[in-house]
Amino acid sequence: MTSNSEWLQRYSDSILGVFGNPPLVLDHGDGCYVWDVDGRRYLDLVGGIAVNALGHGHPALVSALSKQAGEAVHISNLFTSPGQIRLAERLLQISGAPEGSRVFFGNSGAEAIEAAVKLARRTGRTGIVAAEGAFHGRTTGALALTHKAAYREPFEPLLPGVSHIPYDDVDALRAAVDETTSAVVLEPVQGEAGVVSPAVDFLREAREITTAAGALLIIDEIQTGIGRTGAWFGFQHAGIVPDAITIAKGLGGGMPIGAMITFGPEVSALLTAGQHGTTFGGNPLAAAAGLAVLDTIEQEGLLAHAEHAGSHLAATIAEAQIPHVTGVRGAGLLRAISFDEPISVAIATAARTAGFIINPVAPEAIRLAPPLVIQTKQLDTFVAALPGFVEEAKA
């Protein structure tokens, strides 16, 4: 039997090193647990970075994919399929999109953002306003919107006309948006920045500012969408209607899929035949996965469960009064635990050794984005172990 260390050596000999050296070679999963090739079990509190909404091996997803794989995996977008149409209709319904709205399917979040950039350019304007701390992807168009200098600088010059304003700063946003602005692109919660939530009125103010300037408001729901925050989409907590949203991650439950929803007939008419496309986007297998995920979230009441479980996690950590823990932020099952020192990497290492997978998203914060099916008693096992991880990190 090939060991974890042997697999990792083969990894470094064959895989381009853009991800660095991973610590584990995972073999299989079941529910909210995964096992590595050495047979060690871990509670998965990252969920493939908010992707595995139904956990691992959920019967509904396995059944849907197995059935569809026996019928048709791919047909190209020279044609369509009943599943693609049904999934588009469901997304329009759960997003609350008005009559005349439309869906474009791609394969990833970055592809959804690329479509949104082209949508914005079709307004005839070229300026795009994004936020400091934003992460919108690493393809060249999406990278121009992403803020982190270490991601951007090796590939400059990037798409021109993009500016970044402080997140959750209404005055800065108002000053940045003018008659040259095609779109403002914002996350309802900044996941990669450390699960940073804005004030409740920020998205509402952004909607008013963009409407007044004739610019689009595009909401990046790649990490926050599909029930992650306790609503189908993060923007719905603010009660606004955006001009477009981008989706990926949880929609496929692990299958690669991305989407852009355009809201209303005027915005939906901006991209016309031949102006954008994809070979694999919305293929029958991905569409079957998306429908299974949406059906299961609805049937199992996972929106309410995500809200309840996330609130339970935050309350349990607060009650534990763990030294060096300064708080829990986020919404639903997208949460960050913050610390008073930059010890997150050491905590994640200690947690992994003990059988928990967490993400040190920032030096002073760990991110949790577990499957939406996770039970509170499973979260409690992590909270009970957390003081030991902090103590070990401080040693």
Side-chain angles (χ1 to χ4, degrees):
M1 179 178 175
T2 306
S3 68
N4 195 76
S5 59
E6 290 171 322
W7 277 117
L8 289 176
Q9 182 59 55
R10 291 168 63 175
Y11 176 96
S12 66
D13 291 343
S14 58
I15 305 294
L16 192 67
V18 295
F19 299 108
N21 295 316
L24 297 175
V25 181
L26 298 180
D27 180 70
H28 67 282
D30 182 23
C32 294
Y33 294 98
V34 292
W35 283 259
D36 68 16
V37 291
D38 291 335
R40 292 187 294 259
R41 189 184 80 163
Y42 305 84
L43 181 61
D44 181 6
L45 295 171
V46 178
I49 314 180
V51 168
N52 296 316
L54 305 184
H56 304 273
H58 193 288
L61 186 57
V62 171
S63 175
L65 290 175
S66 299
K67 180 177 183 295
Q68 188 59 56
E71 296 174 356
V73 170
H74 176 73
I75 57 174
S76 91
N77 281 299
L78 295 173
F79 309 97
T80 189
S81 67
Q84 185 183 74
I85 296 166
R86 290 190 189 106
L87 183 57
E89 291 171 341
R90 286 291 300 281
L91 289 172
L92 293 173
Q93 182 259 319
I94 65 174
S95 66
E99 189 73 25
S101 301
R102 297 291 186 268
V103 178
F104 168 80
F105 286 114
N107 307 285
S108 66
E111 286 187 49
I113 290 291
E114 295 287 343
V117 169
K118 292 177 77 172
L119 182 79
R121 281 293 184 90
R122 286 290 294 142
T123 65
R125 303 177 180 187
T126 57
I128 297 177
V129 177
E132 295 175 5
F135 183 88
H136 298 292
R138 299 182 195 243
T139 52
T140 51
L143 187 59
L145 276 62
T146 293
H147 182 251
K148 190 174 181 178
Y151 295 158
R152 296 164 50 87
E153 289 175 355
F155 306 101
E156 292 176 340
L158 298 170
L159 184 75
V162 178
S163 60
H164 291 86
I165 55 97
Y167 189 61
D168 197 21
D169 188 328
V170 172
D171 291 336
L173 180 60
R174 185 175 289 108
V177 176
D178 59 24
E179 68 280 357
T180 69
T181 304
S182 65
V184 172
V185 183
L186 296 169
E187 299 160 274
V189 178
Q190 288 191 324
E192 298 298 320
V195 190
V196 178
S197 300
V200 66
D201 287 336
F202 180 59
L203 291 185
R204 297 171 189 165
E205 295 278 2
R207 176 69 284 180
E208 293 178 7
I209 290 167
T210 51
T211 299
L216 303 181
L217 177 61
I218 299 172
I219 303 297
D220 181 342
E221 294 278 1
I222 292 164
Q223 190 162 160
T224 53
I226 315 301
R228 178 57 49 186
T229 66
W232 280 115
F233 298 104
F235 79 85
Q236 292 172 327
H237 294 290
I240 64 167
V241 178
D243 294 300
I245 65 173
T246 56
I247 315 166
K249 288 191 179 289
L251 177 58
M255 281 295 298
I257 188 170
M260 176 181 70
I261 301 179
T262 54
F263 283 62
E266 185 175 346
V267 176
S268 299
L270 290 174
L271 285 172
T272 57
Q275 291 184 336
H276 199 47
T278 172
T279 296
F280 296 102
N283 68 44
L285 194 65
L291 285 167
V293 168
L294 298 184
D295 286 345
T296 304
I297 289 174
E298 191 170 69
Q299 292 164 7
E300 297 188 5
L302 295 182
L303 298 183
H305 176 71
E307 172 61 31
H308 168 71
S311 297
H312 173 86
L313 173 71
T316 304
I317 291 174
E319 290 167 6
Q321 297 184 332
I322 303 168
H324 303 289
V325 172
T326 59
V328 180
R329 57 181 181 256
L333 283 171
L334 179 59
R335 298 282 177 164
I337 303 170
S338 59
F339 306 95
D340 59 9
E341 295 183 47
I343 54 176
S344 67
V345 172
I347 289 172
T349 300
R352 187 170 62 247
T353 300
F356 298 91
I357 294 177
I358 59 178
N359 173 230
V361 69
E364 298 177 352
I366 58 172
R367 172 175 51 178
L368 306 180
L372 302 184
V373 296
I374 196 164
Q375 298 302 303
T376 54
K377 63 182 179 181
Q378 293 174 313
L379 294 170
D380 289 344
T381 64
F382 169 71
V383 176
L386 182 57
F389 304 151
V390 174
E391 184 177 347
E392 185 173 339
K394 291 289 294 173

